[in-house]
Amino acid sequence: MYSLPYFTENDQQKLIAFMKENAFAIITGSGDQFPVATHIPLEIKADAAGGLVLSGHLMKNTDHHKAFEKNNQVLVIFNGAHCYVSASWYKDPAVASTWNYMTVHVHGKIIFTDEAGTYAAIRSITDKYEGEKSAAAFDHIPEDYKSKLLKAIVGFTIEVSSINNVFKLSQNHDTETRLSIIEALEASKDQQAWAIAAAMKNNLKEEQTK
């Protein structure tokens, strides 16, 4: 990740909120021959000491499970909206076009849980997305089915050691150009473009109130 000061979000709470909004993340690590990666919904919580902990569960005996057991240092990637930005929208269009995007990279140590921890991880993520009244609520799942899951799945936590980010929202351009970009993105039919336009608007508003 390349990081420039004007593309960096320094508000920790905003970064945590972004991670929670984009919680289907990519966990990457070192395999025997190639890097490994897995896409997993994560929960993001503060621990008792005020640090940040990610939690979830994954399938046992996969390439990434085996790799994470050998090397517990992982990189977790949270991706948000992204879109193409044409230089034709700039006040001075005789420069390169670009891509705006938002992403957070987290480094940390993955620790696998025991069976009780795995059970709790499955319950937690199910309760989060299903709730208690859904027909697919955790308490409605037969215990024998849960027992089978526990043989195939392992829970984990990731103790976060560092957080880096790029919130590239054309902050290197003047206000006139940024407003022109926002207008063009809002006229698009792409929902990701709309999301970037909204983030750019919010960013401009915050700058003007400082």
Side-chain angles (χ1 to χ4, degrees):
M1 167 183 284
Y2 79 89
S3 184
L4 298 171
Y6 42 82
F7 293 150
T8 301
E9 176 56 64
N10 296 311
D11 188 327
Q12 188 83 349
Q13 292 308 309
K14 285 185 182 178
L15 296 179
I16 293 172
F18 177 87
M19 291 161 64
K20 289 181 177 180
E21 290 169 5
N22 300 279
F24 189 64
I26 303 170
I27 307 176
T28 70
S30 301
D32 290 334
Q33 291 183 296
F34 301 101
V36 296
T38 185
H39 301 250
I40 292 187
L42 297 174
E43 293 200 84
I44 299 98
K45 296 180 180 177
D47 62 17
L52 205 60
V53 175
L54 316 179
S55 62
H57 61 270
L58 54 79
M59 191 72 68
K60 287 181 179 177
N61 298 320
T62 54
D63 60 344
H64 45 273
H65 176 217
K66 293 174 182 177
F68 299 156
E69 282 190 314
K70 289 181 180 179
N71 184 348
N72 63 9
Q73 301 299 316
V74 296
L75 165 67
V76 186
I77 302 171
F78 296 85
N79 282 320
H82 60 90
C83 69
Y84 181 73
V85 175
S86 171
S88 66
W89 306 332
Y90 297 173
K91 184 170 63 176
D92 176 10
V95 293
S97 298
T98 191
W99 206 276
N100 277 2
Y101 65 98
M102 296 180 287
T103 187
V104 171
H105 287 196
V106 171
H107 288 96
K109 180 170 69 175
I110 190 168
I111 300 169
F112 290 105
T113 66
D114 56 15
E115 189 172 288
T118 300
Y119 188 94
I122 298 171
R123 171 185 280 279
S124 182
I125 202 75
T126 305
D127 286 347
K128 177 180 178 180
Y129 291 104
E130 288 292 341
E132 296 179 359
K133 296 182 179 179
S134 167
F138 186 80
D139 287 338
H140 295 167
I141 301 173
E143 288 301 322
D144 61 339
Y145 183 84
K146 294 175 188 174
S147 296
K148 291 178 182 178
L149 280 180
L150 290 172
K151 293 176 183 177
I153 292 172
V154 60
F156 63 84
T157 59
I158 298 173
E159 298 175 353
V160 175
S161 57
S162 68
I163 302 177
N164 300 304
N165 72 88
V166 174
F167 278 30
K168 187 171 179 291
L169 301 169
S170 301
Q171 298 96 319
N172 56 324
H173 290 280
D174 60 29
T175 300
E176 182 182 347
T177 293
R178 290 157 77 178
L179 289 172
S180 175
I181 294 169
I182 290 169
E183 182 179 4
L185 294 178
E186 289 180 332
S188 167
K189 296 180 180 179
D190 180 5
Q191 291 188 357
Q192 297 220 48
W194 300 344
I196 289 293
M200 290 180 65
K201 268 186 172 178
N202 188 60
N203 193 275
L204 272 173
K205 186 182 296 183
E206 289 181 351
E207 288 181 11
Q208 290 166 359
T209 57
K210 286 182 180 178

